[in-house]
PDB file of all heavy atoms in Angstrom:
ATOM      1  N   PHE E 732     -12.036 -11.943  -0.134  1.00  0.00           N
ATOM      2  CA  PHE E 732     -10.592 -12.052   0.070  1.00  0.00           C
ATOM      3  C   PHE E 732      -9.798 -11.458  -1.089  1.00  0.00           C
ATOM      4  O   PHE E 732      -8.725 -10.906  -0.881  1.00  0.00           O
ATOM      5  CB  PHE E 732     -10.199 -13.508   0.346  1.00  0.00           C
ATOM      6  CG  PHE E 732     -10.707 -13.970   1.685  1.00  0.00           C
ATOM      7  CD1 PHE E 732     -11.772 -14.855   1.768  1.00  0.00           C
ATOM      8  CD2 PHE E 732     -10.150 -13.483   2.869  1.00  0.00           C
ATOM      9  CE1 PHE E 732     -12.262 -15.257   3.008  1.00  0.00           C
ATOM     10  CE2 PHE E 732     -10.636 -13.874   4.106  1.00  0.00           C
ATOM     11  CZ  PHE E 732     -11.689 -14.769   4.181  1.00  0.00           C
ATOM     12  N   THR E 733     -10.353 -11.515  -2.286  1.00  0.00           N
ATOM     13  CA  THR E 733      -9.707 -10.869  -3.428  1.00  0.00           C
ATOM     14  C   THR E 733      -9.672  -9.358  -3.210  1.00  0.00           C
ATOM     15  O   THR E 733      -8.652  -8.704  -3.435  1.00  0.00           O
ATOM     16  CB  THR E 733     -10.465 -11.197  -4.741  1.00  0.00           C
ATOM     17  OG1 THR E 733     -10.487 -12.613  -4.895  1.00  0.00           O
ATOM     18  CG2 THR E 733      -9.828 -10.543  -5.934  1.00  0.00           C
ATOM     19  N   THR E 734     -10.776  -8.820  -2.752  1.00  0.00           N
ATOM     20  CA  THR E 734     -10.866  -7.379  -2.494  1.00  0.00           C
ATOM     21  C   THR E 734      -9.964  -6.992  -1.335  1.00  0.00           C
ATOM     22  O   THR E 734      -9.300  -5.952  -1.382  1.00  0.00           O
ATOM     23  CB  THR E 734     -12.330  -6.976  -2.219  1.00  0.00           C
ATOM     24  OG1 THR E 734     -13.138  -7.404  -3.310  1.00  0.00           O
ATOM     25  CG2 THR E 734     -12.467  -5.471  -2.038  1.00  0.00           C
ATOM     26  N   LEU E 735      -9.895  -7.819  -0.314  1.00  0.00           N
ATOM     27  CA  LEU E 735      -9.021  -7.549   0.826  1.00  0.00           C
ATOM     28  C   LEU E 735      -7.551  -7.554   0.389  1.00  0.00           C
ATOM     29  O   LEU E 735      -6.762  -6.715   0.828  1.00  0.00           O
ATOM     30  CB  LEU E 735      -9.270  -8.573   1.931  1.00  0.00           C
ATOM     31  CG  LEU E 735      -8.533  -8.373   3.248  1.00  0.00           C
ATOM     32  CD1 LEU E 735      -8.782  -6.991   3.842  1.00  0.00           C
ATOM     33  CD2 LEU E 735      -8.947  -9.461   4.233  1.00  0.00           C
ATOM     34  N   ARG E 736      -7.191  -8.478  -0.499  1.00  0.00           N
ATOM     35  CA  ARG E 736      -5.811  -8.503  -1.013  1.00  0.00           C
ATOM     36  C   ARG E 736      -5.512  -7.239  -1.815  1.00  0.00           C
ATOM     37  O   ARG E 736      -4.412  -6.689  -1.745  1.00  0.00           O
ATOM     38  CB  ARG E 736      -5.579  -9.755  -1.855  1.00  0.00           C
ATOM     39  CG  ARG E 736      -5.250 -10.980  -1.029  1.00  0.00           C
ATOM     40  CD  ARG E 736      -4.785 -12.160  -1.871  1.00  0.00           C
ATOM     41  NE  ARG E 736      -5.861 -12.802  -2.612  1.00  0.00           N
ATOM     42  CZ  ARG E 736      -6.752 -13.635  -2.073  1.00  0.00           C
ATOM     43  NH1 ARG E 736      -6.687 -13.944  -0.798  1.00  0.00           N
ATOM     44  NH2 ARG E 736      -7.687 -14.164  -2.819  1.00  0.00           N
ATOM     45  N   GLU E 737      -6.479  -6.779  -2.587  1.00  0.00           N
ATOM     46  CA  GLU E 737      -6.297  -5.538  -3.353  1.00  0.00           C
ATOM     47  C   GLU E 737      -6.119  -4.348  -2.402  1.00  0.00           C
ATOM     48  O   GLU E 737      -5.267  -3.484  -2.625  1.00  0.00           O
ATOM     49  CB  GLU E 737      -7.477  -5.300  -4.299  1.00  0.00           C
ATOM     50  CG  GLU E 737      -7.454  -3.971  -5.020  1.00  0.00           C
ATOM     51  CD  GLU E 737      -6.258  -3.760  -5.926  1.00  0.00           C
ATOM     52  OE1 GLU E 737      -5.561  -4.735  -6.291  1.00  0.00           O
ATOM     53  OE2 GLU E 737      -5.997  -2.585  -6.268  1.00  0.00           O
ATOM     54  N   LEU E 738      -6.914  -4.306  -1.365  1.00  0.00           N
ATOM     55  CA  LEU E 738      -6.781  -3.242  -0.366  1.00  0.00           C
ATOM     56  C   LEU E 738      -5.389  -3.271   0.250  1.00  0.00           C
ATOM     57  O   LEU E 738      -4.729  -2.236   0.366  1.00  0.00           O
ATOM     58  CB  LEU E 738      -7.858  -3.409   0.708  1.00  0.00           C
ATOM     59  CG  LEU E 738      -7.903  -2.361   1.809  1.00  0.00           C
ATOM     60  CD1 LEU E 738      -8.229  -0.984   1.250  1.00  0.00           C
ATOM     61  CD2 LEU E 738      -8.929  -2.773   2.871  1.00  0.00           C
ATOM     62  N   MET E 739      -4.926  -4.457   0.611  1.00  0.00           N
ATOM     63  CA  MET E 739      -3.598  -4.603   1.197  1.00  0.00           C
ATOM     64  C   MET E 739      -2.530  -4.128   0.212  1.00  0.00           C
ATOM     65  O   MET E 739      -1.584  -3.432   0.593  1.00  0.00           O
ATOM     66  CB  MET E 739      -3.345  -6.058   1.592  1.00  0.00           C
ATOM     67  CG  MET E 739      -2.016  -6.259   2.287  1.00  0.00           C
ATOM     68  SD  MET E 739      -1.736  -7.957   2.827  1.00  0.00           S
ATOM     69  CE  MET E 739      -1.253  -8.702   1.282  1.00  0.00           C
ATOM     70  N   ARG E 740      -2.678  -4.475  -1.050  1.00  0.00           N
ATOM     71  CA  ARG E 740      -1.700  -4.085  -2.068  1.00  0.00           C
ATOM     72  C   ARG E 740      -1.625  -2.560  -2.217  1.00  0.00           C
ATOM     73  O   ARG E 740      -0.535  -1.984  -2.352  1.00  0.00           O
ATOM     74  CB  ARG E 740      -2.069  -4.728  -3.404  1.00  0.00           C
ATOM     75  CG  ARG E 740      -1.012  -4.593  -4.476  1.00  0.00           C
ATOM     76  CD  ARG E 740      -1.385  -5.381  -5.723  1.00  0.00           C
ATOM     77  NE  ARG E 740      -2.425  -4.750  -6.508  1.00  0.00           N
ATOM     78  CZ  ARG E 740      -2.237  -3.717  -7.319  1.00  0.00           C
ATOM     79  NH1 ARG E 740      -1.052  -3.176  -7.450  1.00  0.00           N
ATOM     80  NH2 ARG E 740      -3.234  -3.216  -8.002  1.00  0.00           N
ATOM     81  N   GLN E 741      -2.770  -1.901  -2.150  1.00  0.00           N
ATOM     82  CA  GLN E 741      -2.773  -0.437  -2.266  1.00  0.00           C
ATOM     83  C   GLN E 741      -2.092   0.217  -1.060  1.00  0.00           C
ATOM     84  O   GLN E 741      -1.307   1.162  -1.214  1.00  0.00           O
ATOM     85  CB  GLN E 741      -4.202   0.082  -2.448  1.00  0.00           C
ATOM     86  CG  GLN E 741      -4.857  -0.355  -3.733  1.00  0.00           C
ATOM     87  CD  GLN E 741      -4.055   0.002  -4.971  1.00  0.00           C
ATOM     88  OE1 GLN E 741      -3.467   1.077  -5.065  1.00  0.00           O
ATOM     89  NE2 GLN E 741      -4.025  -0.904  -5.930  1.00  0.00           N
ATOM     90  N   PHE E 742      -2.365  -0.292   0.124  1.00  0.00           N
ATOM     91  CA  PHE E 742      -1.688   0.232   1.315  1.00  0.00           C
ATOM     92  C   PHE E 742      -0.185  -0.051   1.235  1.00  0.00           C
ATOM     93  O   PHE E 742       0.632   0.797   1.590  1.00  0.00           O
ATOM     94  CB  PHE E 742      -2.272  -0.368   2.601  1.00  0.00           C
ATOM     95  CG  PHE E 742      -3.578   0.251   3.029  1.00  0.00           C
ATOM     96  CD1 PHE E 742      -4.692  -0.545   3.268  1.00  0.00           C
ATOM     97  CD2 PHE E 742      -3.698   1.618   3.219  1.00  0.00           C
ATOM     98  CE1 PHE E 742      -5.895   0.015   3.689  1.00  0.00           C
ATOM     99  CE2 PHE E 742      -4.895   2.191   3.632  1.00  0.00           C
ATOM    100  CZ  PHE E 742      -5.995   1.382   3.861  1.00  0.00           C
ATOM    101  N   HIS E 743       0.183  -1.234   0.757  1.00  0.00           N
ATOM    102  CA  HIS E 743       1.590  -1.594   0.615  1.00  0.00           C
ATOM    103  C   HIS E 743       2.309  -0.624  -0.329  1.00  0.00           C
ATOM    104  O   HIS E 743       3.416  -0.152  -0.031  1.00  0.00           O
ATOM    105  CB  HIS E 743       1.715  -3.032   0.088  1.00  0.00           C
ATOM    106  CG  HIS E 743       3.109  -3.449  -0.215  1.00  0.00           C
ATOM    107  ND1 HIS E 743       3.983  -3.871   0.764  1.00  0.00           N
ATOM    108  CD2 HIS E 743       3.788  -3.494  -1.385  1.00  0.00           C
ATOM    109  CE1 HIS E 743       5.147  -4.162   0.201  1.00  0.00           C
ATOM    110  NE2 HIS E 743       5.048  -3.943  -1.104  1.00  0.00           N
ATOM    111  N   SER E 744       1.682  -0.314  -1.439  1.00  0.00           N
ATOM    112  CA  SER E 744       2.280   0.605  -2.409  1.00  0.00           C
ATOM    113  C   SER E 744       2.454   2.002  -1.825  1.00  0.00           C
ATOM    114  O   SER E 744       3.471   2.662  -2.056  1.00  0.00           O
ATOM    115  CB  SER E 744       1.431   0.674  -3.674  1.00  0.00           C
ATOM    116  OG  SER E 744       1.449  -0.575  -4.329  1.00  0.00           O
ATOM    117  N   LEU E 745       1.471   2.454  -1.070  1.00  0.00           N
ATOM    118  CA  LEU E 745       1.597   3.765  -0.417  1.00  0.00           C
ATOM    119  C   LEU E 745       2.728   3.771   0.608  1.00  0.00           C
ATOM    120  O   LEU E 745       3.472   4.741   0.709  1.00  0.00           O
ATOM    121  CB  LEU E 745       0.284   4.154   0.260  1.00  0.00           C
ATOM    122  CG  LEU E 745      -0.773   4.772  -0.625  1.00  0.00           C
ATOM    123  CD1 LEU E 745      -2.091   4.881   0.129  1.00  0.00           C
ATOM    124  CD2 LEU E 745      -0.329   6.147  -1.101  1.00  0.00           C
ATOM    125  N   ALA E 746       2.851   2.678   1.361  1.00  0.00           N
ATOM    126  CA  ALA E 746       3.928   2.587   2.348  1.00  0.00           C
ATOM    127  C   ALA E 746       5.284   2.652   1.657  1.00  0.00           C
ATOM    128  O   ALA E 746       6.190   3.363   2.107  1.00  0.00           O
ATOM    129  CB  ALA E 746       3.803   1.293   3.159  1.00  0.00           C
ATOM    130  N   GLY E 747       5.429   1.942   0.560  1.00  0.00           N
ATOM    131  CA  GLY E 747       6.689   1.962  -0.179  1.00  0.00           C
ATOM    132  C   GLY E 747       6.997   3.330  -0.760  1.00  0.00           C
ATOM    133  O   GLY E 747       8.132   3.807  -0.688  1.00  0.00           O
ATOM    134  N   ALA E 748       5.992   3.973  -1.314  1.00  0.00           N
ATOM    135  CA  ALA E 748       6.201   5.310  -1.875  1.00  0.00           C
ATOM    136  C   ALA E 748       6.547   6.305  -0.776  1.00  0.00           C
ATOM    137  O   ALA E 748       7.410   7.172  -0.961  1.00  0.00           O
ATOM    138  CB  ALA E 748       4.956   5.763  -2.631  1.00  0.00           C
ATOM    139  N   GLY E 749       5.908   6.168   0.380  1.00  0.00           N
ATOM    140  CA  GLY E 749       6.242   7.049   1.500  1.00  0.00           C
ATOM    141  C   GLY E 749       7.694   6.888   1.913  1.00  0.00           C
ATOM    142  O   GLY E 749       8.387   7.874   2.202  1.00  0.00           O
ATOM    143  N   SER E 750       8.164   5.659   1.915  1.00  0.00           N
ATOM    144  CA  SER E 750       9.572   5.407   2.249  1.00  0.00           C
ATOM    145  C   SER E 750      10.496   5.993   1.191  1.00  0.00           C
ATOM    146  O   SER E 750      11.505   6.613   1.515  1.00  0.00           O
ATOM    147  CB  SER E 750       9.833   3.904   2.368  1.00  0.00           C
ATOM    148  OG  SER E 750       9.200   3.380   3.493  1.00  0.00           O
ATOM    149  N   THR E 751      10.148   5.790  -0.060  1.00  0.00           N
ATOM    150  CA  THR E 751      10.984   6.284  -1.155  1.00  0.00           C
ATOM    151  C   THR E 751      11.172   7.793  -1.078  1.00  0.00           C
ATOM    152  O   THR E 751      12.271   8.296  -1.313  1.00  0.00           O
ATOM    153  CB  THR E 751      10.354   5.901  -2.512  1.00  0.00           C
ATOM    154  OG1 THR E 751      10.293   4.477  -2.596  1.00  0.00           O
ATOM    155  CG2 THR E 751      11.152   6.451  -3.674  1.00  0.00           C
ATOM    156  N   PHE E 752      10.117   8.513  -0.741  1.00  0.00           N
ATOM    157  CA  PHE E 752      10.179   9.970  -0.731  1.00  0.00           C
ATOM    158  C   PHE E 752      10.363  10.560   0.665  1.00  0.00           C
ATOM    159  O   PHE E 752      10.181  11.751   0.867  1.00  0.00           O
ATOM    160  CB  PHE E 752       8.941  10.547  -1.421  1.00  0.00           C
ATOM    161  CG  PHE E 752       8.945  10.296  -2.889  1.00  0.00           C
ATOM    162  CD1 PHE E 752       8.231   9.245  -3.430  1.00  0.00           C
ATOM    163  CD2 PHE E 752       9.717  11.074  -3.733  1.00  0.00           C
ATOM    164  CE1 PHE E 752       8.249   8.990  -4.787  1.00  0.00           C
ATOM    165  CE2 PHE E 752       9.749  10.829  -5.091  1.00  0.00           C
ATOM    166  CZ  PHE E 752       9.019   9.779  -5.627  1.00  0.00           C
ATOM    167  N   SER E 753      10.723   9.707   1.615  1.00  0.00           N
ATOM    168  CA  SER E 753      11.009  10.147   2.990  1.00  0.00           C
ATOM    169  C   SER E 753       9.824  10.854   3.644  1.00  0.00           C
ATOM    170  O   SER E 753       9.961  11.937   4.207  1.00  0.00           O
ATOM    171  CB  SER E 753      12.250  11.052   3.026  1.00  0.00           C
ATOM    172  OG  SER E 753      13.369  10.343   2.574  1.00  0.00           O
ATOM    173  N   TYR E 754       8.661  10.218   3.561  1.00  0.00           N
ATOM    174  CA  TYR E 754       7.474  10.677   4.260  1.00  0.00           C
ATOM    175  C   TYR E 754       7.123   9.620   5.308  1.00  0.00           C
ATOM    176  O   TYR E 754       6.259   8.766   5.081  1.00  0.00           O
ATOM    177  CB  TYR E 754       6.302  10.897   3.301  1.00  0.00           C
ATOM    178  CG  TYR E 754       6.536  11.954   2.250  1.00  0.00           C
ATOM    179  CD1 TYR E 754       6.224  11.714   0.921  1.00  0.00           C
ATOM    180  CD2 TYR E 754       7.066  13.197   2.584  1.00  0.00           C
ATOM    181  CE1 TYR E 754       6.426  12.687  -0.053  1.00  0.00           C
ATOM    182  CE2 TYR E 754       7.275  14.169   1.619  1.00  0.00           C
ATOM    183  CZ  TYR E 754       6.950  13.911   0.302  1.00  0.00           C
ATOM    184  OH  TYR E 754       7.147  14.874  -0.658  1.00  0.00           O
ATOM    185  N   PRO E 755       7.790   9.651   6.467  1.00  0.00           N
ATOM    186  CA  PRO E 755       7.613   8.573   7.448  1.00  0.00           C
ATOM    187  C   PRO E 755       6.185   8.412   7.962  1.00  0.00           C
ATOM    188  O   PRO E 755       5.752   7.290   8.231  1.00  0.00           O
ATOM    189  CB  PRO E 755       8.580   8.935   8.568  1.00  0.00           C
ATOM    190  CG  PRO E 755       8.920  10.364   8.374  1.00  0.00           C
ATOM    191  CD  PRO E 755       8.723  10.674   6.921  1.00  0.00           C
ATOM    192  N   ALA E 756       5.447   9.495   8.091  1.00  0.00           N
ATOM    193  CA  ALA E 756       4.065   9.377   8.588  1.00  0.00           C
ATOM    194  C   ALA E 756       3.209   8.605   7.588  1.00  0.00           C
ATOM    195  O   ALA E 756       2.393   7.765   7.980  1.00  0.00           O
ATOM    196  CB  ALA E 756       3.479  10.758   8.862  1.00  0.00           C
TER     197      ALA E 756
END
């Protein structure tokens, strides 16, 4: 579950960065 939370955090950060730079895909 610790590793799963880390995986989720990395995907979350990518989603936020995609939004910041207007990369909707």
